[in-house]
Amino acid sequence: MSRRRTLALPSWLPVDAYILALIGTVVLAALLPARGTAADVAGGASTGAVALLFFLYGARLSTAEALDGLKHWRLHLTVLACTFLIFPLLGLASGGLVPYVLTPELQAGFLFLCLVPSTIQSSIAFTSIARGNVPAAICAGSFSSLAGILLTPLLAALLLGSTGGGFSADSLLKIVLQLLVPFLAGQFLRRWVGGFLARRKKVLGLVDRGSILLVVYTAFSEGMVAGIWHQVTPARLGGLLAAEAVLLAVMLALTWYGARRLGFGREDRIAIQFAGSKKSLAAGLPMASVLFGAHASLAVLPLMLFHQMQLMVCAVIAKRRSRDPEPERGPEPESVRNREGAGSGPVSDPAVTVTS
C-alpha cells in the first residue's frame, strides 16, 4: 500500500510556510489595501479574531499546571526580568542609532518590540526539542503573556510617550478588554471546553495563524492608505536588520551564560534562553494596533522581522542542543515527573510549526 505524500517545505529551509504566508499578506495589503467600509469590516474582524485567540489561550492553559509552575519562581523572575527589564534597556540604547541607522519611527517600533511579552508556543517547541525544562517553558511563556497585557502598554506610556500614538487610559482599557478578559473567560470555561479544544489542535492552529494574518493585513492596509511606506528605504531596512541581529545575539548570550552564573542547571537554562530571548508576534500586533493607530504597520515591522529572525536562529540552536550528550541524572522527584507528563508532549520541527 502506497503512502500518501504531503506537500511540505524542506526541513533545512529556515523560512517556513507560515512566514511565507505573512509575507504574502503584506503583499496583498500593499496591492489591495482595505479602504472605507472594507477597512471597518476588517478592523472589526481583526479585533474579534484576537479576542478569540486569547480566549483559546486561556481555555488551553491548565490552571493547576500554572499554579504548580509558581514553585519555580526564580526561573520565572529571571525570564520576566529579561523580557521587561533588560530588553527595554537595550531598546532605549537603540536611541543612539537615530538618525544614522534608524529613523525615529523605526526606532519607536524597535523600542516597542523590546516591550512585548515572550512567546508561548515557540518557547515550548524549542525547549522540548533541545531537551530542556518543558513545564517551566510553558509557565514562563504564559506568565510573560499575562504580565505583558498590563506591563507592555504601561512601559509604552513611560518610554514611548507621544510617539506611541497617544497612549491613554482608554488604550489600556481596550487592550485589557481585547486580551485579558477573553483569556480569563477561557480560563473560567476551561472545565467545559478544554477537552473539546484538546481534540482539535490542528483546527486551533489554523485559528491561531489566521488571526495573526488578519491583524497583519489590517495593520498594513492602514499603513498603505496613510502613505507611510515611503519612509522605509533599503538602507534603513538593512540597518534595522543589523540592529535586530545584534539585539538577538546579546539576549541569547545573556540568557544562556547569565542563567549559568545564577546557578541554573542545563534544562532550566534552555527554558530561560528560549523564553527570555524571544518576543510574541501574536501579543504584539493587537497591542500595536491600539497604541499606534494608523502608524501601526511601521511600528510592527521591527517585530515581524525579529519574529522571523528568532525562529530561524533558535531552530538552529535547539537542534544543536538536542545533540548534546545526555547528562547523568539521578531519580527525579515525583512532582517533576508528574509535571513533565502533563506539560510535555511530542513537538514537531519548530521551523514548520511555531507561530507566536
Side-chain angles (χ1 to χ4, degrees), residues 69 82 85-86 90 140 148 176 224 247 273-274 320-321 340 356:
C82 291
L85 179 60
I86 298 175
L90 293 175
V176 169
M224 288 300 300
L247 175 67
Q273 183 177 53
F274 289 131
R320 182 169 297 178
R321 297 253 188 268
E340 290 181 347
S356 66

Side-chain angles (χ1 to χ4, degrees), residues 17-31 213 216-217:
Y18 184 64
I19 298 301
L20 295 179
L22 280 172
I23 296 173
T25 302
V26 173
V27 173
L28 177 62
L31 298 176
L213 292 177
V216 169
Y217 175 75

